[in-house]
Amino acid sequence: MQLARDGQSVRRPVSGRALIDTGASTTCIDDTLAQSLGFPVIDVVKMRSASHVTMVGVYPIQMGIIGLGKVYVPAMGANLKPSKIIALIGRDYLQHCTLNYSGISGEFTLSLWDASISLSGHRIKRN
């Protein structure tokens, strides 16, 4: 992890819900969470959405999915609390994975390329 290489202390893991978003090019972390964990802002970039463009901080994070390995990705800060998630998993993370989705059964399989294990059989909640 970047923080460990820079001689800073490594933060304890935080668990929470994340949303897989194949339409998002970049992974996001809840900005309030990143600040409360003391992550340094390593860059400031434009975040574009369907409705607006805004400048946001980028944080060095290492994100793991239970049952899979961890991937280091710089994540943009975003207000994710209204969605009740702590992270949005974008294509920069998913480029290290294989994702299969069955629309008929509502199940998906997600596996990391460099891991021999995969997360599968989880039913997607339908409203």
Side-chain angles (χ1 to χ4, degrees):
M1 187 164 147
Q2 185 70 36
L3 292 173
R5 285 196 304 266
D6 290 345
Q8 298 180 28
S9 63
V10 177
R11 292 0 180 236
R12 65 175 173 76
V14 174
S15 296
R17 292 180 173 257
L19 175 71
I20 295 174
D21 186 349
T22 59
S25 58
T26 307
T27 295
C28 297
I29 183 172
D30 183 72
D31 197 49
T32 303
L33 175 63
Q35 291 175 15
S36 72
L37 292 171
F39 283 124
V41 174
I42 58 172
D43 199 1
V44 177
V45 298
K46 285 183 184 179
M47 177 188 281
R48 290 174 165 74
S49 73
S51 62
H52 65 282
V53 175
T54 187
M55 299 300 288
V56 298
V58 177
Y59 301 96
I61 69 165
Q62 187 177 44
M63 184 167 48
I65 297 175
I66 295 173
L68 297 178
K70 296 176 184 170
V71 174
Y72 167 79
V73 290
M76 292 192 293
N79 180 16
L80 301 177
K81 280 193 186 202
S83 301
K84 298 180 181 171
I85 58 174
I86 64 169
L88 185 141
I89 302 170
R91 291 190 313 272
D92 58 343
Y93 184 97
L94 294 173
Q95 73 182 352
H96 303 284
C97 304
T98 299
L99 172 64
N100 293 301
Y101 169 66
S102 170
I104 295 170
S105 67
E107 296 177 345
F108 71 94
T109 302
L110 180 67
S111 57
L112 285 174
W113 287 353
D114 61 353
S116 61
I117 54 176
S118 65
L119 177 68
S120 63
H122 291 267
R123 183 164 295 280
I124 295 175
K125 189 178 185 179
R126 296 178 191 236
N127 294 334

